[in-house]
Amino acid sequence: MFVIAKKIGILSAIFVFFVLPFFSLPVFAQTEAPATPPGNYGLTESKGTLIDRTPQQITGTVVGAVLSLLGVIFFLLVIYGGLRWMLAQGNEQEVEKAKEILIAAVIGLVIVLSAYAITTFIGTQLTGGK
C-alpha cells in the first residue's frame, strides 16, 4: 500500500510541475486592442534565412541551443534529486543517492554555465562586440 502511495505522489508531482503548465492559456487583460494581433509572439519577425547567415552565427546558435538544453537537463536533475531526497523518508541509502545526484547536477550546471560564459566571451571578441 505504501509503495502505491509513493508512486502516486511522484506521478502527481510530475503532472503538476511538467504537464499542467502546458494546459494553461494566456490571459490578455487589457481594454484596448493590442497593436499586433495576439498569437504571433514575435515569430513573424524574420532574422534571415539560413543562407543569409554566416557560419559563425549558425555555430553560435547551435552552441547556444545545446548549452540551453543541457542547462534544462541539469535543472531537471536538481528537481529529481530534491524529490528523491524528500521521498527518502529517512532511508540513508536513498538520501546518499539523492545527494550524489544533486552534487553531480550542480557540478554539471557550473560546467555548462562556464562553457556558456567562455563561448559568449570568445564570440564577442571574434565578432568585434556585436
Side-chain angles (χ1 to χ4, degrees):
M1 181 77 169
F2 178 70
V3 175
I4 294 173
K6 186 175 179 181
K7 288 183 181 180
I8 289 174
I10 291 172
L11 290 176
S12 63
I14 289 172
F15 178 78
V16 167
F17 288 111
F18 299 113
V19 177
L20 196 61
F22 290 109
F23 293 110
S24 63
L25 298 173
V27 176
F28 301 106
Q30 51 197 11
T31 57
E32 299 175 8
T36 59
N40 64 0
Y41 301 105
L43 295 177
T44 57
E45 299 172 6
S46 175
K47 299 287 183 182
T49 61
L50 206 56
I51 297 171
D52 297 337
R53 300 178 72 188
T54 65
Q56 292 87 357
Q57 290 173 329
I58 295 170
T59 305
T61 302
V62 169
V63 168
V66 169
L67 290 175
S68 298
L69 180 65
L70 287 174
V72 169
I73 289 171
F74 289 120
F75 177 70
L76 293 176
L77 279 172
V78 168
I79 291 175
Y80 173 69
L83 281 173
R84 191 165 184 166
W85 193 335
M86 287 190 298
L87 297 174
Q89 298 180 349
N91 185 352
E92 288 299 323
Q93 295 169 340
E94 289 292 321
V95 171
E96 288 302 317
K97 287 180 186 177
K99 282 183 184 179
E100 291 173 5
I101 290 171
L102 287 171
I103 291 170
V106 169
I107 290 171
L109 189 61
V110 168
I111 291 171
V112 168
L113 290 175
S114 301
Y116 185 77
I118 291 169
T119 305
T120 303
F121 176 74
I122 291 174
T124 54
Q125 295 299 316
L126 292 177
T127 59
K130 293 182 181 178

